[in-house]
Amino acid sequence: MSTPSNRPGRLGVGVIGAGRVGAVLGAALRSAGHAVVGVTAVSAESTERAELLLPGVPVLTVPEVVERAELVLVAVPDDHLPELISGLAQGGHWQPGQLVVHVAGRWGTSVLEPARAAGAIPLAIHPAMTFTGMSMDLDRLADCPFGVTAPAAVRPIAQALVVEMGGEPVVIPEADRTLYHAALTHGANNLTTLIGQATQVLEEIGVDEPSRVLGALSRASVDNALRSGESTLTGPVVRGDAGTVREHRLALAEAALASGREDVLRTYTFMARATADRAKDRGALSPADHQRVVQALGPDAPDSPDSPALPQEPTPPVVVTSPQEFRTLLRSRAVALGPEATVGFVPTMGALHDGHGHLVRQARAENDLVAVSIFVNPLQFGPGEDLSRYPSDLPGDLARLTELGVDVVFAPAVEDMYPGGLPLVRVSSGELGNQLEGSSRPGHFDGVLTVVAKLFALVTGGHQVRAYFGQKDAQQLLIIQRMVRDLNVDVQICPVAIVRAPDGLALSSRNAYLNDDERAAALVLSRTLQELAQGAVTVEQARDAINVQQIGAGPDTVELDYLTVVDPQTLQPVDPVPGTLALVAARVGTTRLIDNHHL
Ligand code: AMP
C-alpha cells in the first residue's frame, strides 16, 4: 500500500454503497485517474447503477472491498455509518494507512474513530448537491462545493480528492458539522417542502400549472436572497400588513378543513413568525407593525425569546351575524390553533355588565378561542313580557368584549336565527322547567333550551367546547346541564358564581329598568337571602320582609313571586339546611328580578 501524500497518487478505490452519491463519486474518482477496485451493491437498483456508472468494476462484499482498497469511499445512509465502521473494526478489516472517506453530511470524522484506531486515515467530504444517480451528475460536480472535515494533518488529502473530482472544498470544523448539515437541509430540503405546499394550494384551487405560476416568483426570491440576503424580502409580513396575514391564515384554515391536512397552515404560521421577527431585528419592520403581524398570526406562532413584550393593543373581535358564517369562522379558527384547541362560548342577550364580564374572563382564561353570542331570543319571552323593550347596546357590548379579548362575536338578527319563522321543533325542559321561573313564565325554559341547542350546534365540531353560564340563573343552569346530559351534547357546561354590585344587588341587564327608589328597594332580595343563609331569619320571615319592603316613600311595595328553598339538583322544596339553595323572584315596580343563595 502506498503512503498517502498531499496529492494522492493513483489509488485503488473501493466504494461501499452504490447509492446515488457513492456511484457518482466513485465514477468521478475513476475519471480523475484512480482505479475503482470494487463496489458493494445490495439492491437490484444499485447493481444496475454500478453497472452504468462503474462498468467493469466487480461487485464485492463489504469486507472484500475494504481488503482490496487503498481508499474506501463509504456512501451509506447517515444512520448506518457508525455501525458499519465499528463492525468492520471489530472484524479487523481496517488497514493502517488506508484512507477511509465517508460522505455523510451530518458527521465529521469522529464517527470514523474505530477505523482511525486501527491506523486508517479518517476523512469526511460531503458534496452540497442533490444527486440523481445518473452520469449527468458527473458534469454537475464541476465547482460543486464539498464540506470537508478531517484532522489538520491529513486535511489536504481530502481537499485534493475533492479538487480531483472537480469540486470546491470548503473546510467545516468537526464541531460544526451537524449545524452545517442542518443549514443545508433547511435551505434546500425544507425549501422543497415549501414549494410542494404552495403547489398543493394552487392545485386545490384549480390552477393548471402551479409550477409556472409560482416559478418566476420562487426563483427570483431564491436568487435574490442568495445574492443580496434578506433585505430583498417582499410581501405582506415585511409591509406590516397584518390584515392580509390574518386573512391568509383564515383561508388556509378553511382549506385545511376541506382537505383534512393542516401542515400548510402550520408551516405558514411558523415561517411568517420567523420572517416577522427577523425583519424586525434588522430594522425592516417597526416594533408596532411586528406586534400587529404577530397578533394576526395568533397563539400558534412560536415566541421569539428575545422580543420584548410590547403593550398589547386589544384587537376587536370579528362580528358575524349569519349562523353559517359563525360556524365556519369558529371551526377554521379552531383548526388554525391546532388539534388541541378549545373554544370557550358565552351565550348572552347583550346589554352586557360585569356579570357577563366574569363569564367571559373565565372563558378567556381557560380556552384558546372565545366566542360570545348576543341574541335576544323571542322564544323565551311570554306575551306581555319585556321582549320589545329589552335593553340593548351593541357598540357598548363590543367595546367591552374588545377589552376582554374576545375573538368572535355572533350577533344575529331574529331572521338570521329563525329564518322562515319560529322553529316548529323545540327542546322541552320537562318537569324541571314547569316550576319556579317556569310556572311564572310558561314556555320560558323550552325557549331557552331551543336557542341554546341551536347555538351549541353551531359552536361544536372537531374541537372541545366549554360553555359558561351564570349561577345567577340557577334554574336555567341546572336545566342546561340536564339537557347536555340527556341529549349527549358534546359541550362542557361551566358554572360561574354570581357577580353582585358592592351593595349586594345581583347584576342584571334588567337592573337598567330600575329608578333610584326601586333599586334601593330591590336590595331587600339579596339582603334577606343573606340573612336566610346565615340562619338569622326563617323562610316565612324572609318572605314577609320582602312583601312589606316599600318602594321609596310611596304606598307601593315589592311583590314577592316566590321565595323557596330547594334541593339544588332536583329543585324540589326542602328544609333550609346547609347545601340547599334559596331562590327568590319578585317584582320591583314593573321589573321582575331573580336572585339566589346557597345555604
Ligand atoms: P343574559 O344576558 O341575561 O341571558 O345572561 C347571560 C349569561 O350571563 C347567563 O349565563 C347568566 O346567568 C349570566 N349572568 C347574568 N348576570 C350575571 C351575574 N350577575 N353574575 C353571573 N352571571 C350572570
Side-chain angles (χ1 to χ4, degrees), residues 41-306:
V42 280
S43 66
E45 209 180 307
S46 52
T47 309
E48 201 177 308
R49 197 179 293 120
E51 277 166 13
L52 186 80
L53 284 162
L54 298 168
V57 173
V59 174
L60 306 172
T61 65
V62 173
E64 283 169 344
V65 168
V66 176
E67 195 175 312
R68 292 186 194 186
E70 295 157 298
L71 186 164
V72 182
L73 184 72
V74 189
V76 296
D78 291 18
D79 286 347
H80 297 182
L81 189 59
E83 211 181 320
L84 178 80
I85 300 296
S86 60
L88 284 166
Q90 277 162 20
H93 297 288
W94 297 117
Q95 302 158 39
Q98 190 171 36
L99 296 172
V100 186
V101 186
H102 81 74
V103 297
R106 159 188 163 198
W107 303 102
T109 50
S110 61
V111 69
L112 301 176
E113 180 53 28
R116 195 208 57 79
I121 296 170
L123 307 172
I125 63 172
H126 172 255
M129 189 179 98
T130 56
F131 285 78
T132 61
M134 292 187 282
S135 53
M136 67 182 185
D137 288 346
L138 285 171
D139 301 331
R140 294 173 57 209
L141 278 182
D143 296 330
C144 165
F146 278 68
V148 169
T149 304
V154 292
R155 193 179 300 139
I157 305 173
Q159 290 167 310
L161 285 171
V162 169
V163 171
E164 280 184 347
M165 286 188 280
E168 186 195 320
V170 178
V171 175
I172 305 294
E174 177 82 26
D176 295 336
R177 186 78 181 199
T178 307
L179 270 182
Y180 151 83
H181 192 230
L184 295 187
T185 303
H186 194 46
N189 306 138
N190 290 353
L191 196 56
T192 307
T193 305
L194 288 184
I195 298 289
Q197 291 181 328
T199 304
Q200 175 198 325
V201 173
L202 291 174
E203 269 166 6
E204 280 169 4
I205 59 168
V207 170
D208 266 348
E209 285 182 71
S211 58
R212 207 169 56 77
V213 176
L214 197 58
L217 201 52
S218 297
R219 283 190 198 99
S221 299
V222 171
D223 284 349
N224 291 342
L226 290 173
R227 199 177 313 116
S228 314
E230 287 169 86
S231 63
T232 57
L233 180 71
T234 57
V237 169
V238 73
R239 284 198 304 270
D241 185 354
T244 300
V245 171
R246 185 178 290 116
E247 289 306 312
H248 285 177
R249 291 188 70 250
L250 278 179
L252 289 171
E254 277 178 39
L257 264 187
S259 69
R261 292 180 51 180
E262 294 174 19
D263 64 309
V264 185
L265 172 66
R266 290 191 185 296
T267 314
Y268 180 99
T269 305
F270 272 69
M271 290 299 301
R273 176 66 199 245
T275 305
D277 289 350
R278 294 173 71 86
K280 190 188 82 176
D281 289 349
R282 58 171 194 276
L285 189 65
S286 73
D289 280 347
H290 173 265
Q291 181 69 20
R292 268 197 293 279
V293 170
V294 167
Q295 274 179 1
L297 288 170
D300 210 19
D303 271 336
S304 88
D306 54 1

Side-chain angles (χ1 to χ4, degrees), residues 2 53 56 67 69 135 139 141 143 187 249 253 276 347 367 399 418 425 432 540 564 576 581:
S2 62
L53 284 162
E67 195 175 312
S135 53
D139 301 331
L141 278 182
D143 296 330
R249 291 188 70 250
N367 298 282
Y418 301 123
V425 176
L432 282 178
E540 271 314 316
T564 180
L581 181 66

Side-chain angles (χ1 to χ4, degrees), residues 375 377-379 414 417-426:
F375 179 59
N377 173 34
L379 226 51
V414 173
M417 238 2 217
Y418 301 123
L422 297 181
L424 188 65
V425 176
R426 304 181 187 192

Side-chain angles (χ1 to χ4, degrees), residues 347-349 353 355-356 359 390 469-470 472-473 476 497-499 507:
T348 79
M349 297 205 297
H353 49 70
H356 301 105
L359 272 64
Y390 195 83
F469 289 89
K472 157 88 169 17
D473 299 275
Q476 166 177 289
I498 301 179
V499 178
L507 298 187

